[in-house]
Amino acid sequence: MKEVSSLIDRILFYALVPSFFILLYLIFIWSPVEKVMGVTQKIFYFHVGSAWVAFLAFFVVGYYSVRNLIKPNMKHFIFAGASAEIGVLFTTITLITGMIWGRASWNTWWSWEPRLVTTLILWFIYVAYLFIRKMDGSWEKIAKLSSVFGIIGCLNVPIVFMAIRWWNSKLHPIVFGEGKGQSGGGIEPEMLITLLFSVFTISLLYVFLMRKGAEIERMRVIVRNQKNKLMNKLAS
């Protein structure tokens, strides 16, 4: 079983390396420069790919959180924690690249625009989720408590996605909308191909990080359980 897992990790790694080189070529050489924003627009490919993986990671957290509420399971607890850490990482990247985009597009680092605000709320929810997982106590109790935050965060993902439509935001671009222009969301075919490959590559990175993160989280849980047993013995 360990040999199969190790083989999968190697396959993912060897697929990731050339994919990232191809992605960099597509972004900085092959795809055209946007007329209005110029080279700064190319951060768009990292921004959208990171946002997609953040949403995917939080949906995975939500799935395992629901299962943990129904019946706590160590495997589900570990996968939820690993996916949450990755989700927070990519949400941070999304916010940072969005601020860079905003500085070039809106001439300000931050705007209280619906999608930015809801994304920031999502980030805070999952940071709280990670803090809860580090609380002292049995993993069953921590799993149930953290699962509530995991589900709330997952329910916030559709709100983030639909924010610019529900609140009729004119600032944030709609990526797959109709029409041309910065607010309409239409993009050239080369840009679309680059964007889709970016989403694919960063998704592949998520799978790789998820597998590695689950291994690390499993070791954390084992160490914490051994620590709790030792403390209980000393207390008695």
Side-chain angles (χ1 to χ4, degrees), residues 144-165:
K144 288 185 176 181
L145 180 59
S146 62
S147 293
V148 174
F149 275 79
I151 293 171
I152 292 173
C154 181
L155 294 175
N156 191 43
V157 170
I159 297 176
V160 176
F161 182 77
M162 295 299 296
I164 56 178
R165 294 170 174 83

Side-chain angles (χ1 to χ4, degrees), residues 51-60 62 91 115 118-119 122 125-126 150-163 166:
W52 156 252
V53 169
F55 292 166
L56 173 62
F58 292 146
F59 274 124
V60 172
T91 304
R115 180 163 287 177
T118 51
T119 302
L122 182 69
I125 291 173
Y126 277 101
I151 293 171
I152 292 173
C154 181
L155 294 175
N156 191 43
V157 170
I159 297 176
V160 176
F161 182 77
M162 295 299 296
W166 289 347

